[in-house]
Amino acid sequence: MHVVKTICISGREGFPDFLKVGKEYWIDLDSIYKDKDSIYVRVYEDAYKQREVGNALLSHFSCYSL
């Protein structure tokens, strides 16, 4: 399990309640996948992966450290 603390740097257009800019989220690096256009990751509100937000573009987040 590779969960990394991040901060949201951009929201999802058309879904203002999905991600909040400036809020901290945890992403699971083991869940990263790529389609033909973008890279996605599973997002959580906690480090223990108990409150899942869903899948989002990796570009919505900035990592504190890797």
Side-chain angles (χ1 to χ4, degrees), residues 37-64:
D37 299 318
S38 302
I39 300 172
Y40 297 89
V41 67
R42 188 157 298 133
V43 182
Y44 298 89
E45 290 186 345
D46 66 304
Y48 303 104
K49 296 171 48 170
Q50 294 180 352
R51 295 186 313 266
E52 183 176 348
V53 175
N55 293 331
L57 290 171
L58 184 58
S59 61
H60 287 300
F61 305 96
S62 178
C63 293
Y64 287 108

Side-chain angles (χ1 to χ4, degrees), residues 1-4 26-31 42 44 46-50:
M1 175 172 88
H2 294 95
V3 180
V4 176
W26 284 258
I27 60 172
D28 183 354
L29 297 180
D30 292 333
S31 73
R42 188 157 298 133
Y44 298 89
D46 66 304
Y48 303 104
K49 296 171 48 170
Q50 294 180 352

Side-chain angles (χ1 to χ4, degrees), residues 15-33:
F15 297 89
D17 294 329
F18 181 62
L19 298 172
K20 300 284 186 187
V21 175
K23 183 175 177 177
E24 293 178 339
Y25 293 96
W26 284 258
I27 60 172
D28 183 354
L29 297 180
D30 292 333
S31 73
I32 290 177
Y33 67 95

